[in-house]
Coordinates of all heavy atoms in Angstrom, one line a residue:
A358 N 33.9 -124.6 163.4 CA 32.7 -123.9 163.3 C 32.2 -123.7 164.8 O 31.8 -122.5 165.2 CB 31.6 -124.6 162.6
M359 N 32.3 -124.7 165.6 CA 31.9 -124.6 167.0 C 32.8 -123.6 167.8 O 32.4 -122.8 168.6 CB 31.8 -126.0 167.7 CG 30.6 -126.8 167.2 SD 30.4 -128.3 168.2 CE 31.8 -129.3 167.8
E360 N 34.1 -123.7 167.5 CA 35.0 -122.8 168.1 C 34.8 -121.4 167.8 O 34.9 -120.5 168.7 CB 36.4 -123.2 167.8 CG 36.9 -124.5 168.4 CD 38.3 -124.8 168.0 OE1 38.9 -124.3 167.0 OE2 38.9 -125.7 168.6
H361 N 34.5 -121.1 166.6 CA 34.4 -119.7 166.1 C 33.0 -119.1 166.0 O 32.8 -118.0 165.8 CB 35.0 -119.6 164.7 CG 36.5 -119.8 164.7 ND1 37.4 -118.8 164.8 CD2 37.2 -120.9 164.5 CE1 38.6 -119.2 164.8 NE2 38.5 -120.5 164.6
G362 N 32.0 -120.0 166.3 CA 30.6 -119.5 166.3 C 30.1 -119.1 165.0 O 29.4 -118.1 164.8
V363 N 30.5 -119.9 163.9 CA 30.2 -119.5 162.6 C 29.8 -120.9 161.8 O 30.6 -121.8 161.8 CB 31.4 -118.8 161.8 CG1 31.0 -118.6 160.3 CG2 31.6 -117.5 162.5
I364 N 28.7 -120.8 161.1 CA 28.3 -122.0 160.2 C 28.8 -121.7 158.8 O 28.3 -120.6 158.3 CB 26.8 -122.2 160.2 CG1 26.3 -122.5 161.7 CG2 26.5 -123.4 159.3 CD1 24.8 -122.6 161.8
P365 N 29.7 -122.4 158.3 CA 30.2 -122.1 156.9 C 29.1 -122.4 155.9 O 28.2 -123.2 156.1 CB 31.4 -123.1 156.7 CG 31.1 -124.2 157.6 CD 30.4 -123.6 158.8
P366 N 29.2 -121.7 154.7 CA 28.1 -121.8 153.7 C 28.3 -123.0 152.8 O 29.3 -123.8 152.9 CB 28.3 -120.5 152.9 CG 29.7 -120.2 153.0 CD 30.1 -120.6 154.4
T367 N 27.4 -123.2 151.9 CA 27.3 -124.3 150.9 C 27.5 -123.6 149.5 O 26.5 -123.2 149.0 CB 26.0 -125.1 151.0 OG1 25.8 -125.5 152.4 CG2 26.0 -126.3 150.0
P368 N 28.7 -123.5 149.1 CA 29.0 -122.8 147.9 C 28.3 -123.3 146.6 O 28.0 -124.6 146.6 CB 30.5 -122.8 147.7 CG 31.0 -123.0 149.1 CD 30.0 -123.9 149.8
N369 N 28.0 -122.5 145.7 CA 27.4 -122.9 144.4 C 25.9 -123.4 144.5 O 25.4 -123.9 143.5 CB 28.2 -124.0 143.7 CG 29.6 -123.5 143.4 OD1 29.8 -122.4 143.0 ND2 30.6 -124.4 143.6
V370 N 25.4 -123.3 145.7 CA 24.0 -123.8 145.9 C 23.1 -122.6 146.3 O 23.4 -121.9 147.3 CB 23.9 -124.9 147.0 CG1 22.5 -125.3 147.3 CG2 24.7 -126.1 146.5
F371 N 22.0 -122.4 145.6 CA 21.2 -121.2 145.8 C 19.7 -121.6 145.9 O 19.0 -121.2 146.8 CB 21.4 -120.2 144.7 CG 22.8 -119.8 144.5 CD1 23.6 -120.3 143.5 CD2 23.5 -119.0 145.4 CE1 24.9 -120.0 143.3 CE2 24.8 -118.6 145.3 CZ 25.5 -119.1 144.2
D372 N 19.2 -122.4 144.9 CA 17.7 -122.7 144.8 C 17.5 -124.0 145.4 O 17.2 -125.0 144.8 CB 17.3 -122.7 143.3 CG 18.3 -123.5 142.5 OD1 19.4 -123.8 142.9 OD2 17.9 -123.8 141.4
V373 N 17.4 -124.0 146.8 CA 17.2 -125.3 147.5 C 15.8 -125.7 147.3 O 14.8 -125.0 147.4 CB 17.4 -125.0 149.0 CG1 17.2 -126.4 149.9 CG2 18.9 -124.6 149.2
C374 N 15.6 -127.0 147.0 CA 14.3 -127.5 146.7 C 13.8 -128.6 147.7 O 12.9 -129.4 147.4 CB 14.3 -128.2 145.3 SG 15.3 -129.5 145.0
H375 N 14.4 -128.6 148.8 CA 14.1 -129.5 149.9 C 13.7 -128.7 151.2 O 14.2 -127.6 151.4 CB 15.2 -130.6 150.2 CG 15.5 -131.5 149.1 ND1 14.8 -132.6 148.8 CD2 16.4 -131.3 148.1 CE1 15.3 -133.1 147.7 NE2 16.3 -132.4 147.2
D376 N 13.0 -129.3 152.1 CA 12.6 -128.7 153.3 C 13.7 -128.7 154.3 O 13.7 -129.4 155.4 CB 11.3 -129.3 153.9 CG 10.7 -128.4 155.0 OD1 11.1 -127.3 155.1 OD2 9.7 -128.9 155.7
L377 N 14.7 -127.9 154.1 CA 16.0 -127.8 154.9 C 16.4 -126.3 155.1 O 16.2 -125.5 154.1 CB 17.1 -128.5 154.2 CG 17.2 -130.0 154.1 CD1 18.4 -130.4 153.2 CD2 17.2 -130.7 155.4
D378 N 16.9 -126.0 156.2 CA 17.4 -124.7 156.5 C 18.9 -124.7 156.0 O 19.8 -124.7 156.8 CB 17.2 -124.2 157.9 CG 17.8 -122.9 158.2 OD1 18.0 -122.0 157.2 OD2 18.1 -122.5 159.3
L379 N 19.1 -124.8 154.7 CA 20.5 -124.9 154.2 C 21.2 -123.6 154.2 O 20.6 -122.6 153.7 CB 20.4 -125.5 152.8 CG 21.8 -126.0 152.3 CD1 22.3 -127.3 153.0 CD2 21.7 -126.3 150.8
V380 N 22.4 -123.5 154.8 CA 23.1 -122.2 154.8 C 23.8 -122.1 153.5 O 24.7 -122.8 153.1 CB 24.1 -122.3 156.0 CG1 24.9 -121.0 156.0 CG2 23.4 -122.5 157.3
T381 N 23.4 -121.0 152.8 CA 24.0 -120.8 151.4 C 24.6 -119.4 151.4 O 24.3 -118.6 152.2 CB 23.0 -121.0 150.3 OG1 21.9 -120.1 150.6 CG2 22.4 -122.4 150.4
A382 N 25.2 -119.1 150.3 CA 25.7 -117.7 150.0 C 26.8 -117.3 150.9 O 27.9 -116.9 150.5 CB 24.6 -116.7 149.9
R383 N 26.5 -117.2 152.2 CA 27.5 -116.7 153.2 C 27.4 -117.3 154.5 O 26.4 -117.9 154.8 CB 27.4 -115.1 153.3 CG 26.1 -114.7 153.9 CD 26.0 -113.2 154.0 NE 26.2 -112.6 152.7 CZ 25.2 -112.3 151.9 NH1 23.9 -112.7 152.2 NH2 25.4 -111.7 150.7
A384 N 28.5 -117.2 155.3 CA 28.5 -117.9 156.6 C 27.4 -117.2 157.5 O 27.0 -116.1 157.4 CB 29.9 -117.8 157.2
R385 N 27.0 -118.0 158.5 CA 26.0 -117.6 159.4 C 26.5 -117.6 160.9 O 27.0 -118.7 161.3 CB 24.7 -118.4 159.3 CG 23.6 -117.9 160.3 CD 22.4 -119.0 160.1 NE 21.9 -119.2 158.8 CZ 20.9 -120.0 158.6 NH1 20.3 -120.8 159.5 NH2 20.5 -120.1 157.3
A386 N 26.5 -116.5 161.6 CA 26.9 -116.5 163.0 C 25.9 -117.3 163.8 O 24.7 -117.2 163.6 CB 27.0 -115.1 163.5
A387 N 26.4 -118.1 164.8 CA 25.5 -118.9 165.6 C 26.3 -119.4 166.8 O 27.5 -119.7 166.7 CB 25.0 -120.1 164.8
E388 N 25.5 -119.6 167.9 CA 26.2 -120.2 169.1 C 26.1 -121.7 169.0 O 24.9 -122.3 168.9 CB 25.4 -119.7 170.3 CG 26.0 -120.2 171.7 CD 27.3 -119.5 172.0 OE1 27.6 -118.4 171.5 OE2 28.1 -120.0 172.9
L389 N 27.2 -122.3 168.8 CA 27.2 -123.8 168.5 C 27.8 -124.6 169.6 O 29.0 -124.3 170.0 CB 27.9 -124.0 167.2 CG 27.5 -123.2 166.0 CD1 28.4 -123.5 164.8 CD2 26.1 -123.6 165.6
H390 N 27.0 -125.5 170.1 CA 27.5 -126.4 171.2 C 27.6 -127.9 170.8 O 28.4 -128.6 171.2 CB 26.7 -126.3 172.4 CG 26.7 -124.9 173.0 ND1 27.7 -124.5 173.9 CD2 25.9 -123.9 172.9 CE1 27.5 -123.3 174.3 NE2 26.4 -122.8 173.7
T391 N 26.7 -128.3 169.8 CA 26.6 -129.6 169.4 C 26.4 -129.7 167.9 O 25.6 -129.0 167.4 CB 25.5 -130.3 170.1 OG1 25.6 -130.2 171.5 CG2 25.4 -131.8 169.8
A392 N 27.2 -130.5 167.2 CA 27.1 -130.7 165.7 C 26.9 -132.1 165.4 O 27.3 -133.0 166.1 CB 28.4 -130.2 165.1
L393 N 26.1 -132.3 164.3 CA 25.9 -133.7 163.8 C 26.5 -133.8 162.4 O 26.2 -132.9 161.5 CB 24.3 -133.9 163.7 CG 23.8 -135.2 163.1 CD1 24.3 -136.4 163.9 CD2 22.4 -135.2 162.9
V394 N 27.4 -134.8 162.2 CA 28.0 -134.9 160.9 C 27.5 -136.2 160.3 O 27.4 -137.3 160.9 CB 29.5 -135.0 161.0 CG1 30.2 -135.2 159.6 CG2 30.0 -133.7 161.7
L395 N 27.0 -136.2 159.0 CA 26.4 -137.3 158.3 C 27.3 -137.8 157.1 O 27.9 -137.0 156.5 CB 25.0 -137.0 157.8 CG 24.1 -136.5 158.9 CD1 22.7 -136.2 158.3 CD2 23.9 -137.5 160.0
S396 N 27.2 -139.1 156.9 CA 27.9 -139.6 155.7 C 27.3 -140.9 155.2 O 26.8 -141.7 156.0 CB 29.4 -139.9 156.0 OG 30.2 -140.3 154.9
R397 N 27.3 -141.0 153.9 CA 26.8 -142.2 153.3 C 27.8 -142.7 152.2 O 28.5 -141.8 151.5 CB 25.4 -142.1 152.6 CG 24.3 -141.8 153.6 CD 23.0 -141.4 152.8 NE 23.2 -140.2 152.1 CZ 22.3 -139.6 151.4 NH1 21.2 -140.2 151.1 NH2 22.6 -138.5 150.7
G398 N 27.9 -144.0 152.0 CA 28.8 -144.5 150.9 C 28.1 -145.0 149.7 O 26.9 -145.4 149.8
L399 N 28.7 -145.0 148.6 CA 28.1 -145.4 147.3 C 27.7 -147.0 147.5 O 26.8 -147.4 146.7 CB 29.0 -145.2 146.2 CG 29.3 -143.8 145.9 CD1 30.4 -143.6 144.7 CD2 28.1 -142.9 145.6
M400 N 28.4 -147.7 148.3 CA 28.1 -149.1 148.4 C 27.1 -149.4 149.5 O 26.8 -150.5 149.8 CB 29.4 -149.9 148.7 CG 30.4 -149.8 147.5 SD 29.7 -150.5 145.9 CE 29.5 -149.0 145.0
G401 N 26.6 -148.4 150.2 CA 25.4 -148.6 151.1 C 25.7 -148.3 152.6 O 24.8 -148.5 153.4
S402 N 26.9 -147.9 152.9 CA 27.1 -147.6 154.4 C 26.5 -146.2 154.7 O 26.5 -145.3 153.9 CB 28.6 -147.6 154.7 OG 29.2 -148.9 154.5
N403 N 26.0 -146.1 156.0 CA 25.5 -144.9 156.6 C 26.2 -144.6 157.8 O 26.3 -145.6 158.6 CB 24.0 -144.9 156.7 CG 23.3 -145.4 155.5 OD1 23.2 -144.8 154.5 ND2 22.7 -146.6 155.6
S404 N 26.5 -143.4 158.2 CA 27.2 -143.1 159.5 C 26.8 -141.8 160.0 O 26.6 -140.8 159.2 CB 28.7 -143.2 159.2 OG 29.4 -143.3 160.5
A405 N 26.6 -141.7 161.3 CA 26.3 -140.3 162.0 C 27.2 -140.2 163.1 O 27.5 -141.1 163.9 CB 24.9 -140.3 162.3
L406 N 27.7 -139.0 163.4 CA 28.6 -138.7 164.5 C 28.2 -137.4 165.2 O 27.9 -136.4 164.5 CB 30.0 -138.5 164.0 CG 31.1 -138.1 165.1 CD1 31.4 -139.3 166.0 CD2 32.4 -137.7 164.4

Side-chain angles (χ1 to χ4, degrees):
M359 289 190 291
E360 288 180 346
H361 292 270
V363 175
I364 302 172
T367 307
N369 300 322
V370 173
F371 307 101
D372 49 344
V373 179
C374 64
H375 298 277
D376 193 9
L377 291 173
D378 180 16
L379 194 69
V380 180
T381 61
R383 62 180 60 87
R385 182 187 301 179
E388 185 72 19
L389 304 174
H390 296 279
T391 307
L393 174 67
V394 181
L395 306 179
S396 185
R397 292 171 298 178
L399 298 177
M400 296 299 107
S402 296
N403 313 287
S404 193
L406 178 71

